[in-house]
Amino acid sequence: RWFTHFYVVSVLWNGFLLIWLFRAEFLGESLPSWIQDMHHALGRDSQSKDMGNEHFSALLVLLLLWLHSCRRLAECLWTSVFSSGVIHIVQYCFGLGYYIAVGATVLCQVPTNVRNGKELSVQICWYHIIGVMMYIWASLHQHRCLAILANLRKSRSGKVISLSHSVPFGDWFESVSCPHYFAELLIYVSMAITLGIHNVTWWCVVMYVLFNQALAAVLCHEFYQKNFSSYPKHRKAFIPLV
């Protein structure tokens, strides 16, 4: 339930960064000095040359990240039905820090003071289109899977009737136990593609998401197998066929 806090922080913080990056890209304004100081401290010289479409790519990824946080916040508030499970304080603090750091990571992929001067239509590349399409596809499936999980605890009228666990069916649940975690990974991969595929820093973020979501998925998978004797044996934990 407290994951909701992560998305509130992400919507506010990454929305703030998105506004400033938008103003820098389209209005020619400089980012606030404290953002430039943070940008420099994290390793990117603000006076370095802009390589190709870095500004637009970062702006687009920051927008996707913000939209993802908005959707997840809405799902936490109005779709998901949470049990009485708790979160460790260390994991809670780390989660808050993560959503602050990940937005700063996107911002630090481009110089803060340089605009490449191209028109927006010229800056749209093939990897932007592929990345956004993959992002939409994965996001739709993640929402469907979360809705399936929520509906297991609701009556046909939408009233919550149970907080117990049940075996989900439908959509990607036919292949894996935790398709919403798999979709999360695909969403971050789509952002890596949108950044131009070659961005090593963001691929490190993808690797973190991979291991984090895989661990959670394996624990969930083992829970299902332990508590439901008739659990489908063909289902994998996280990635289809793996």
Side-chain angles (χ1 to χ4, degrees):
R1 184 178 291 109
W2 280 22
F3 271 57
T4 305
H5 300 177
F6 299 162
Y7 301 120
V8 169
V9 169
S10 182
V11 168
L12 295 176
W13 169 250
N14 293 315
F16 172 77
L17 295 181
L18 178 63
I19 290 172
W20 275 107
L21 189 57
F22 181 88
R23 294 174 68 170
E25 174 70 14
F26 295 104
L27 302 180
E29 298 181 9
S30 295
L31 295 176
S33 58
W34 65 270
I35 291 185
Q36 295 191 38
D37 291 341
M38 175 189 69
H39 191 277
H40 180 72
L42 291 176
R44 184 66 181 264
D45 185 357
S46 63
Q47 299 299 329
S48 61
K49 293 182 179 180
D50 187 13
M51 301 298 292
N53 299 317
E54 286 183 332
H55 267 95
F56 179 69
S57 297
L59 180 66
L60 188 54
V61 169
L62 199 54
L63 174 62
L64 296 180
L65 182 64
W66 181 75
L67 290 174
H68 176 61
S69 300
C70 289
R71 178 180 61 82
R72 291 293 295 118
L73 176 60
E75 288 167 342
C76 285
L77 294 174
W78 296 298
T79 300
S80 298
V81 180
F82 297 103
S83 65
S84 56
V86 297
I87 185 173
H88 195 283
I89 185 63
V90 174
Q91 185 183 6
Y92 177 75
C93 293
F94 184 85
L96 292 176
Y98 168 79
Y99 282 100
I100 293 175
V102 75
T105 299
V106 177
L107 188 67
C108 290
Q109 301 313 299
V110 296
T112 57
N113 289 343
V114 183
R115 297 180 67 206
N116 58 28
K118 295 182 181 179
E119 295 295 331
L120 178 63
S121 59
V122 177
Q123 293 179 342
I124 297 177
C125 297
W126 62 269
Y127 50 82
H128 295 147
I129 298 173
I130 293 177
V132 170
M133 290 178 62
M134 183 177 179
Y135 170 88
I136 294 173
W137 174 67
S139 297
L140 287 173
H141 278 284
Q142 186 177 57
H143 177 73
R144 289 174 187 168
C145 292
L146 290 171
I148 288 172
L149 287 175
N151 289 334
L152 290 174
R153 295 176 171 178
K154 297 178 182 179
S155 65
R156 291 186 177 182
S157 64
K159 182 180 179 180
V160 177
I161 57 176
S162 172
L163 295 181
S164 62
H165 294 278
S166 304
V167 179
F169 292 92
D171 206 82
W172 287 355
F173 280 109
E174 301 303 321
S175 300
V176 293
S177 295
C178 300
H180 47 307
Y181 295 158
F182 178 53
E184 185 82 3
L185 174 63
L186 293 181
I187 287 170
Y188 277 84
V189 170
S190 73
M191 295 180 190
I193 295 173
T194 305
L195 274 174
I197 302 178
H198 62 277
N199 192 291
V200 176
T201 302
W202 195 258
W203 282 111
C204 290
V205 176
V206 172
M207 291 302 295
Y208 163 76
V209 173
L210 168 64
F211 290 119
N212 179 58
Q213 299 295 295
L215 174 60
V218 167
L219 294 175
C220 263
H221 185 65
E222 292 175 348
F223 173 85
Y224 281 129
Q225 291 179 322
K226 179 181 179 180
N227 290 277
F228 299 97
S229 57
S230 60
Y231 192 72
K233 297 185 181 300
H234 68 275
R235 289 189 191 180
K236 305 302 180 182
F238 180 43
I239 300 176
L241 305 178
V242 177

